[in-house]
């Protein structure tokens, strides 16, 4: 798999932005059928006092507003961490075609069977290490 370097650059920038704000450093990007970036976001639960402030959900809301439709058929998402069950349900309902993620989630998250097309990104070890180091540092600082 070959990912546009601009997508990776924005994911890194947004994840770091979340980290600096005291948010879990997760970011997401939605692209259209041609690979053009439609929206991107990072976690904002703490800053916005919003339980739904996950990067994936915020990116979906932004994309829906931009294209003026809640159906995201033909669009795909890139996210730094495998989506949780809540985000997976929203992704399913928004009809995104594919979800590409860099890191698998570490907790079981109750393992609900939510059928969405999630694909773990192969390769990109430097990027995976970067995202993993941010998340590890975030939680180490919380303890």
């Amino acid at each position: 798999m070959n990912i546009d370097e601009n997508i990776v650059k924005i994911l890194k920038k947004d994840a770091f932005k979340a980290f600096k704000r005291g948010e879990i450093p997760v970011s997401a990007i939605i692209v259209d059928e041609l690979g053009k970036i439609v929206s991107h976001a990072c976690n904002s639960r703490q800053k916005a006092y919003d339980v739904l402030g996950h990067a994936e959900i915020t990116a979906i809301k932004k994309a829906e507003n931009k294209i003026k439709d809640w159906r995201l058929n033909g669009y795909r998402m890139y996210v730094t961490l495998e989506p949780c069950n809540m985000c997976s349900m929203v992704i399913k309902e928004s009809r995104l075609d594919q979800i590409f993620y860099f890191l698998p989630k570490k907790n079981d998250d109750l393992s609900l069977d939510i059928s969405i097309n999630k694909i773990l990104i192969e390769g990109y070890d430097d990027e995976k290490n970067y995202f993993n180091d941010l998340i590890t540092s975030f939680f180490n600082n919380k303890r």
Side-chain angles (χ1 to χ4, degrees), residues 7-141:
I7 290 172
V8 174
K9 181 177 164 186
I10 292 170
L11 284 170
K12 284 181 165 181
K13 180 181 170 195
D14 283 353
F16 187 72
K17 182 165 85 173
F19 178 81
K20 293 299 273 181
R21 290 180 178 170
E23 303 280 353
I24 297 173
V26 174
S27 57
I29 290 182
I30 296 176
V31 299
D32 66 13
E33 304 89 349
L34 302 174
K36 181 181 176 213
I37 296 171
V38 177
S39 67
H40 62 93
C42 61
N43 277 356
S44 61
R45 287 176 65 165
Q46 303 300 325
K47 181 179 183 245
Y49 309 109
D50 182 5
V51 71
L52 301 176
H54 289 215
E56 300 94 326
I57 293 174
T58 304
I60 287 169
K61 287 177 172 181
K62 286 180 176 182
E64 291 169 339
N65 285 329
K66 188 169 186 176
I67 68 168
K68 307 285 189 247
D69 194 349
W70 63 268
R71 296 170 201 89
L72 298 176
N73 299 85
Y75 293 76
R76 62 187 182 274
M77 176 183 283
Y78 294 88
V79 63
T80 56
L81 182 65
E82 182 180 6
C84 69
N85 285 332
M86 177 180 70
C87 290
S88 294
M89 287 300 296
V90 173
I91 288 165
K92 180 177 180 168
E93 291 299 316
S94 71
R95 302 181 182 173
L96 279 160
D97 284 0
Q98 295 176 310
I99 313 308
F100 297 96
Y101 61 96
F102 284 86
L103 301 173
K105 58 187 175 188
K106 291 186 179 179
N107 65 349
D108 195 19
D109 201 20
L110 301 177
S111 290
L112 296 178
D113 185 22
I114 303 166
S115 60
I116 59 173
N117 190 7
K118 294 190 297 186
I119 301 160
L120 177 63
I121 295 169
E122 299 296 330
Y124 290 89
D125 293 339
D126 289 344
E127 289 76 8
K128 288 180 179 186
N129 288 335
Y130 178 82
F131 297 132
N132 187 60
D133 289 350
L134 267 182
I135 289 172
T136 300
S137 180
F138 174 83
F139 284 109
N140 283 344
N141 289 334

